[in-house]
Each structure stands twice: as structure tokens, then as C-alpha cells.
PDB file of all heavy atoms in Angstrom:
ATOM      1  N   LEU A   1      19.757 -92.442 106.237  1.00  0.00           N
ATOM      2  CA  LEU A   1      18.534 -91.863 105.703  1.00  0.00           C
ATOM      3  C   LEU A   1      18.305 -92.379 104.287  1.00  0.00           C
ATOM      4  O   LEU A   1      19.211 -92.895 103.638  1.00  0.00           O
ATOM      5  CB  LEU A   1      18.609 -90.332 105.701  1.00  0.00           C
ATOM      6  CG  LEU A   1      18.826 -89.653 107.059  1.00  0.00           C
ATOM      7  CD1 LEU A   1      18.933 -88.150 106.892  1.00  0.00           C
ATOM      8  CD2 LEU A   1      17.706 -90.008 108.036  1.00  0.00           C
ATOM      9  N   LEU A   2      17.090 -92.183 103.821  1.00  0.00           N
ATOM     10  CA  LEU A   2      16.720 -92.711 102.504  1.00  0.00           C
ATOM     11  C   LEU A   2      15.897 -91.675 101.756  1.00  0.00           C
ATOM     12  O   LEU A   2      15.000 -91.039 102.322  1.00  0.00           O
ATOM     13  CB  LEU A   2      15.897 -93.999 102.658  1.00  0.00           C
ATOM     14  CG  LEU A   2      15.466 -94.710 101.370  1.00  0.00           C
ATOM     15  CD1 LEU A   2      16.681 -95.274 100.650  1.00  0.00           C
ATOM     16  CD2 LEU A   2      14.475 -95.829 101.693  1.00  0.00           C
ATOM     17  N   SER A   3      16.227 -91.490 100.488  1.00  0.00           N
ATOM     18  CA  SER A   3      15.406 -90.685  99.576  1.00  0.00           C
ATOM     19  C   SER A   3      14.714 -91.645  98.623  1.00  0.00           C
ATOM     20  O   SER A   3      15.362 -92.468  97.976  1.00  0.00           O
ATOM     21  CB  SER A   3      16.263 -89.687  98.802  1.00  0.00           C
ATOM     22  OG  SER A   3      15.460 -88.941  97.909  1.00  0.00           O
ATOM     23  N   LEU A   4      13.381 -91.519  98.521  1.00  0.00           N
ATOM     24  CA  LEU A   4      12.580 -92.531  97.840  1.00  0.00           C
ATOM     25  C   LEU A   4      11.801 -91.897  96.698  1.00  0.00           C
ATOM     26  O   LEU A   4      11.399 -90.724  96.767  1.00  0.00           O
ATOM     27  CB  LEU A   4      11.621 -93.172  98.844  1.00  0.00           C
ATOM     28  CG  LEU A   4      10.840 -94.425  98.440  1.00  0.00           C
ATOM     29  CD1 LEU A   4      11.786 -95.562  98.083  1.00  0.00           C
ATOM     30  CD2 LEU A   4       9.905 -94.848  99.562  1.00  0.00           C
ATOM     31  N   ASP A   5      11.576 -92.688  95.647  1.00  0.00           N
ATOM     32  CA  ASP A   5      10.727 -92.248  94.542  1.00  0.00           C
ATOM     33  C   ASP A   5       9.301 -92.020  95.067  1.00  0.00           C
ATOM     34  O   ASP A   5       8.720 -92.877  95.740  1.00  0.00           O
ATOM     35  CB  ASP A   5      10.723 -93.314  93.443  1.00  0.00           C
ATOM     36  CG  ASP A   5       9.818 -92.945  92.281  1.00  0.00           C
ATOM     37  OD1 ASP A   5       9.468 -91.766  92.149  1.00  0.00           O
ATOM     38  OD2 ASP A   5       9.444 -93.854  91.517  1.00  0.00           O
ATOM     39  N   ALA A   6       8.728 -90.848  94.765  1.00  0.00           N
ATOM     40  CA  ALA A   6       7.424 -90.484  95.319  1.00  0.00           C
ATOM     41  C   ALA A   6       6.326 -91.444  94.873  1.00  0.00           C
ATOM     42  O   ALA A   6       5.428 -91.780  95.656  1.00  0.00           O
ATOM     43  CB  ALA A   6       7.074 -89.050  94.928  1.00  0.00           C
ATOM     44  N   ARG A   7       6.384 -91.898  93.632  1.00  0.00           N
ATOM     45  CA  ARG A   7       5.343 -92.809  93.152  1.00  0.00           C
ATOM     46  C   ARG A   7       5.445 -94.172  93.816  1.00  0.00           C
ATOM     47  O   ARG A   7       4.435 -94.798  94.150  1.00  0.00           O
ATOM     48  CB  ARG A   7       5.434 -92.941  91.632  1.00  0.00           C
ATOM     49  CG  ARG A   7       5.089 -91.657  90.892  1.00  0.00           C
ATOM     50  CD  ARG A   7       5.192 -91.826  89.396  1.00  0.00           C
ATOM     51  NE  ARG A   7       4.821 -90.596  88.690  1.00  0.00           N
ATOM     52  CZ  ARG A   7       4.900 -90.448  87.375  1.00  0.00           C
ATOM     53  NH1 ARG A   7       5.345 -91.453  86.627  1.00  0.00           N
ATOM     54  NH2 ARG A   7       4.554 -89.304  86.809  1.00  0.00           N
ATOM     55  N   LEU A   8       6.666 -94.645  94.011  1.00  0.00           N
ATOM     56  CA  LEU A   8       6.844 -95.909  94.710  1.00  0.00           C
ATOM     57  C   LEU A   8       6.385 -95.783  96.162  1.00  0.00           C
ATOM     58  O   LEU A   8       5.753 -96.694  96.709  1.00  0.00           O
ATOM     59  CB  LEU A   8       8.310 -96.333  94.649  1.00  0.00           C
ATOM     60  CG  LEU A   8       8.654 -97.660  95.335  1.00  0.00           C
ATOM     61  CD1 LEU A   8       7.920 -98.813  94.671  1.00  0.00           C
ATOM     62  CD2 LEU A   8      10.157 -97.895  95.319  1.00  0.00           C
ATOM     63  N   ALA A   9       6.714 -94.650  96.786  1.00  0.00           N
ATOM     64  CA  ALA A   9       6.282 -94.433  98.168  1.00  0.00           C
ATOM     65  C   ALA A   9       4.759 -94.412  98.266  1.00  0.00           C
ATOM     66  O   ALA A   9       4.179 -94.940  99.230  1.00  0.00           O
ATOM     67  CB  ALA A   9       6.867 -93.120  98.690  1.00  0.00           C
ATOM     68  N   GLU A  10       4.103 -93.824  97.278  1.00  0.00           N
ATOM     69  CA  GLU A  10       2.644 -93.818  97.276  1.00  0.00           C
ATOM     70  C   GLU A  10       2.086 -95.233  97.175  1.00  0.00           C
ATOM     71  O   GLU A  10       1.115 -95.588  97.850  1.00  0.00           O
ATOM     72  CB  GLU A  10       2.132 -92.962  96.115  1.00  0.00           C
ATOM     73  CG  GLU A  10       0.617 -92.869  96.031  1.00  0.00           C
ATOM     74  CD  GLU A  10       0.160 -92.061  94.831  1.00  0.00           C
ATOM     75  OE1 GLU A  10       1.025 -91.545  94.077  1.00  0.00           O
ATOM     76  OE2 GLU A  10      -1.070 -91.940  94.629  1.00  0.00           O
ATOM     77  N   GLY A  11       2.704 -96.048  96.314  1.00  0.00           N
ATOM     78  CA  GLY A  11       2.246 -97.429  96.191  1.00  0.00           C
ATOM     79  C   GLY A  11       2.506 -98.249  97.444  1.00  0.00           C
ATOM     80  O   GLY A  11       1.705 -99.123  97.799  1.00  0.00           O
ATOM     81  N   TRP A  12       3.602 -97.974  98.125  1.00  0.00           N
ATOM     82  CA  TRP A  12       3.930 -98.695  99.356  1.00  0.00           C
ATOM     83  C   TRP A  12       3.165 -98.164 100.564  1.00  0.00           C
ATOM     84  O   TRP A  12       3.165 -98.803 101.622  1.00  0.00           O
ATOM     85  CB  TRP A  12       5.433 -98.590  99.636  1.00  0.00           C
ATOM     86  CG  TRP A  12       6.260 -99.497  98.782  1.00  0.00           C
ATOM     87  CD1 TRP A  12       5.824-100.372  97.839  1.00  0.00           C
ATOM     88  CD2 TRP A  12       7.686 -99.602  98.795  1.00  0.00           C
ATOM     89  NE1 TRP A  12       6.881-101.023  97.249  1.00  0.00           N
ATOM     90  CE2 TRP A  12       8.037-100.572  97.821  1.00  0.00           C
ATOM     91  CE3 TRP A  12       8.690 -98.983  99.512  1.00  0.00           C
ATOM     92  CZ2 TRP A  12       9.356-100.931  97.563  1.00  0.00           C
ATOM     93  CZ3 TRP A  12      10.007 -99.336  99.260  1.00  0.00           C
ATOM     94  CH2 TRP A  12      10.334-100.308  98.289  1.00  0.00           C
ATOM     95  N   GLY A  13       2.600 -96.965 100.425  1.00  0.00           N
ATOM     96  CA  GLY A  13       1.972 -96.346 101.584  1.00  0.00           C
ATOM     97  C   GLY A  13       2.982 -95.784 102.566  1.00  0.00           C
ATOM     98  O   GLY A  13       2.745 -95.750 103.772  1.00  0.00           O
ATOM     99  N   VAL A  14       4.126 -95.326 102.037  1.00  0.00           N
ATOM    100  CA  VAL A  14       5.220 -94.808 102.868  1.00  0.00           C
ATOM    101  C   VAL A  14       5.298 -93.306 102.693  1.00  0.00           C
ATOM    102  O   VAL A  14       5.105 -92.780 101.588  1.00  0.00           O
ATOM    103  CB  VAL A  14       6.558 -95.469 102.472  1.00  0.00           C
ATOM    104  CG1 VAL A  14       7.709 -94.871 103.262  1.00  0.00           C
ATOM    105  CG2 VAL A  14       6.489 -96.970 102.703  1.00  0.00           C
ATOM    106  N   THR A  15       5.599 -92.595 103.767  1.00  0.00           N
ATOM    107  CA  THR A  15       5.760 -91.155 103.694  1.00  0.00           C
ATOM    108  C   THR A  15       7.009 -90.747 104.470  1.00  0.00           C
ATOM    109  O   THR A  15       7.707 -91.594 105.059  1.00  0.00           O
ATOM    110  CB  THR A  15       4.529 -90.435 104.262  1.00  0.00           C
ATOM    111  OG1 THR A  15       4.667 -89.015 104.065  1.00  0.00           O
ATOM    112  CG2 THR A  15       4.363 -90.724 105.742  1.00  0.00           C
ATOM    113  N   VAL A  16       7.310 -89.450 104.467  1.00  0.00           N
ATOM    114  CA  VAL A  16       8.495 -88.943 105.158  1.00  0.00           C
ATOM    115  C   VAL A  16       8.387 -89.233 106.661  1.00  0.00           C
ATOM    116  O   VAL A  16       7.347 -89.014 107.281  1.00  0.00           O
ATOM    117  CB  VAL A  16       8.646 -87.439 104.907  1.00  0.00           C
ATOM    118  CG1 VAL A  16       9.801 -86.870 105.733  1.00  0.00           C
ATOM    119  CG2 VAL A  16       8.893 -87.172 103.436  1.00  0.00           C
ATOM    120  N   GLY A  17       9.474 -89.749 107.238  1.00  0.00           N
ATOM    121  CA  GLY A  17       9.492 -90.099 108.647  1.00  0.00           C
ATOM    122  C   GLY A  17       9.304 -91.579 108.912  1.00  0.00           C
ATOM    123  O   GLY A  17       9.640 -92.057 110.007  1.00  0.00           O
ATOM    124  N   ASP A  18       8.770 -92.324 107.931  1.00  0.00           N
ATOM    125  CA  ASP A  18       8.618 -93.772 108.102  1.00  0.00           C
ATOM    126  C   ASP A  18       9.971 -94.465 107.948  1.00  0.00           C
ATOM    127  O   ASP A  18      10.942 -93.883 107.441  1.00  0.00           O
ATOM    128  CB  ASP A  18       7.625 -94.331 107.084  1.00  0.00           C
ATOM    129  CG  ASP A  18       6.204 -93.839 107.340  1.00  0.00           C
ATOM    130  OD1 ASP A  18       5.954 -93.350 108.456  1.00  0.00           O
ATOM    131  OD2 ASP A  18       5.365 -93.929 106.425  1.00  0.00           O
ATOM    132  N   THR A  19      10.007 -95.731 108.335  1.00  0.00           N
ATOM    133  CA  THR A  19      11.237 -96.512 108.271  1.00  0.00           C
ATOM    134  C   THR A  19      11.081 -97.660 107.286  1.00  0.00           C
ATOM    135  O   THR A  19      10.064 -98.365 107.308  1.00  0.00           O
ATOM    136  CB  THR A  19      11.611 -97.069 109.658  1.00  0.00           C
ATOM    137  OG1 THR A  19      11.794 -95.970 110.553  1.00  0.00           O
ATOM    138  CG2 THR A  19      12.894 -97.880 109.600  1.00  0.00           C
ATOM    139  N   VAL A  20      12.072 -97.822 106.426  1.00  0.00           N
ATOM    140  CA  VAL A  20      12.094 -98.904 105.451  1.00  0.00           C
ATOM    141  C   VAL A  20      13.294 -99.789 105.764  1.00  0.00           C
ATOM    142  O   VAL A  20      14.420 -99.299 105.934  1.00  0.00           O
ATOM    143  CB  VAL A  20      12.197 -98.356 104.014  1.00  0.00           C
ATOM    144  CG1 VAL A  20      12.302 -99.500 103.015  1.00  0.00           C
ATOM    145  CG2 VAL A  20      10.988 -97.490 103.681  1.00  0.00           C
ATOM    146  N   THR A  21      13.063-101.093 105.866  1.00  0.00           N
ATOM    147  CA  THR A  21      14.139-102.042 106.153  1.00  0.00           C
ATOM    148  C   THR A  21      14.566-102.738 104.868  1.00  0.00           C
ATOM    149  O   THR A  21      13.749-103.331 104.170  1.00  0.00           O
ATOM    150  CB  THR A  21      13.683-103.089 107.183  1.00  0.00           C
ATOM    151  OG1 THR A  21      13.281-102.425 108.382  1.00  0.00           O
ATOM    152  CG2 THR A  21      14.814-104.060 107.503  1.00  0.00           C
ATOM    153  N   LEU A  22      15.861-102.648 104.549  1.00  0.00           N
ATOM    154  CA  LEU A  22      16.409-103.247 103.334  1.00  0.00           C
ATOM    155  C   LEU A  22      17.399-104.350 103.699  1.00  0.00           C
ATOM    156  O   LEU A  22      18.155-104.221 104.680  1.00  0.00           O
ATOM    157  CB  LEU A  22      17.120-102.188 102.492  1.00  0.00           C
ATOM    158  CG  LEU A  22      16.282-100.994 102.022  1.00  0.00           C
ATOM    159  CD1 LEU A  22      17.147-100.031 101.222  1.00  0.00           C
ATOM    160  CD2 LEU A  22      15.099-101.446 101.197  1.00  0.00           C
ATOM    161  N   ASP A  23      17.382-105.403 102.922  1.00  0.00           N
ATOM    162  CA  ASP A  23      18.345-106.497 103.074  1.00  0.00           C
ATOM    163  C   ASP A  23      19.529-106.191 102.164  1.00  0.00           C
ATOM    164  O   ASP A  23      19.450-106.308 100.946  1.00  0.00           O
ATOM    165  CB  ASP A  23      17.687-107.825 102.701  1.00  0.00           C
ATOM    166  CG  ASP A  23      18.619-109.017 102.930  1.00  0.00           C
ATOM    167  OD1 ASP A  23      19.837-108.789 103.087  1.00  0.00           O
ATOM    168  OD2 ASP A  23      18.122-110.150 102.947  1.00  0.00           O
ATOM    169  N   ILE A  24      20.629-105.774 102.760  1.00  0.00           N
ATOM    170  CA  ILE A  24      21.829-105.395 102.011  1.00  0.00           C
ATOM    171  C   ILE A  24      22.946-106.355 102.382  1.00  0.00           C
ATOM    172  O   ILE A  24      23.422-106.373 103.533  1.00  0.00           O
ATOM    173  CB  ILE A  24      22.237-103.941 102.310  1.00  0.00           C
ATOM    174  CG1 ILE A  24      21.084-102.992 101.973  1.00  0.00           C
ATOM    175  CG2 ILE A  24      23.492-103.562 101.530  1.00  0.00           C
ATOM    176  CD1 ILE A  24      21.356-101.549 102.297  1.00  0.00           C
ATOM    177  N   LEU A  25      23.353-107.196 101.438  1.00  0.00           N
ATOM    178  CA  LEU A  25      24.423-108.174 101.632  1.00  0.00           C
ATOM    179  C   LEU A  25      24.146-109.057 102.851  1.00  0.00           C
ATOM    180  O   LEU A  25      25.042-109.359 103.640  1.00  0.00           O
ATOM    181  CB  LEU A  25      25.774-107.468 101.778  1.00  0.00           C
ATOM    182  CG  LEU A  25      26.232-106.629 100.578  1.00  0.00           C
ATOM    183  CD1 LEU A  25      27.548-105.923 100.872  1.00  0.00           C
ATOM    184  CD2 LEU A  25      26.347-107.494  99.340  1.00  0.00           C
ATOM    185  N   GLY A  26      22.868-109.457 103.014  1.00  0.00           N
ATOM    186  CA  GLY A  26      22.509-110.357 104.099  1.00  0.00           C
ATOM    187  C   GLY A  26      22.232-109.683 105.418  1.00  0.00           C
ATOM    188  O   GLY A  26      21.912-110.354 106.404  1.00  0.00           O
ATOM    189  N   ARG A  27      22.310-108.367 105.490  1.00  0.00           N
ATOM    190  CA  ARG A  27      22.032-107.634 106.728  1.00  0.00           C
ATOM    191  C   ARG A  27      20.777-106.793 106.557  1.00  0.00           C
ATOM    192  O   ARG A  27      20.594-106.139 105.526  1.00  0.00           O
ATOM    193  CB  ARG A  27      23.211-106.731 107.100  1.00  0.00           C
ATOM    194  CG  ARG A  27      24.496-107.452 107.445  1.00  0.00           C
ATOM    195  CD  ARG A  27      25.591-106.456 107.760  1.00  0.00           C
ATOM    196  NE  ARG A  27      25.173-105.526 108.804  1.00  0.00           N
ATOM    197  CZ  ARG A  27      25.847-104.421 109.125  1.00  0.00           C
ATOM    198  NH1 ARG A  27      26.971-104.110 108.470  1.00  0.00           N
ATOM    199  NH2 ARG A  27      25.412-103.626 110.088  1.00  0.00           N
ATOM    200  N   ASP A  28      19.923-106.813 107.577  1.00  0.00           N
ATOM    201  CA  ASP A  28      18.732-105.973 107.569  1.00  0.00           C
ATOM    202  C   ASP A  28      19.097-104.606 108.128  1.00  0.00           C
ATOM    203  O   ASP A  28      19.495-104.482 109.307  1.00  0.00           O
ATOM    204  CB  ASP A  28      17.614-106.597 108.415  1.00  0.00           C
ATOM    205  CG  ASP A  28      17.045-107.855 107.771  1.00  0.00           C
ATOM    206  OD1 ASP A  28      17.189-107.985 106.543  1.00  0.00           O
ATOM    207  OD2 ASP A  28      16.475-108.691 108.493  1.00  0.00           O
TER     208      ASP A  28
END
């Protein structure tokens, strides 16, 4: 799970329940 900055989420158009994919050490 992920906890996100509300202002960044607003800029990204992301809300609770959405999925964010991060590249961590070469893995998505």
C-alpha cells in the first residue's frame, strides 16, 4: 500500500484506491 502527499495526488489526478507503479531498484 502507499500513503501519498495530498497535493501531489491532486496534481497527478490520483485518489484513494488508484494504483501507482514505481520503479524500485529496476523492478516495477
Side-chain angles (χ1 to χ4, degrees):
L1 301 178
L2 182 67
S3 179
L4 190 60
D5 178 18
R7 293 180 178 176
L8 180 62
E10 181 183 358
W12 283 359
V14 176
T15 185
V16 174
D18 293 343
T19 300
V20 177
T21 301
L22 301 179
D23 184 344
I24 302 177
L25 299 177
R27 295 179 54 191
D28 290 337

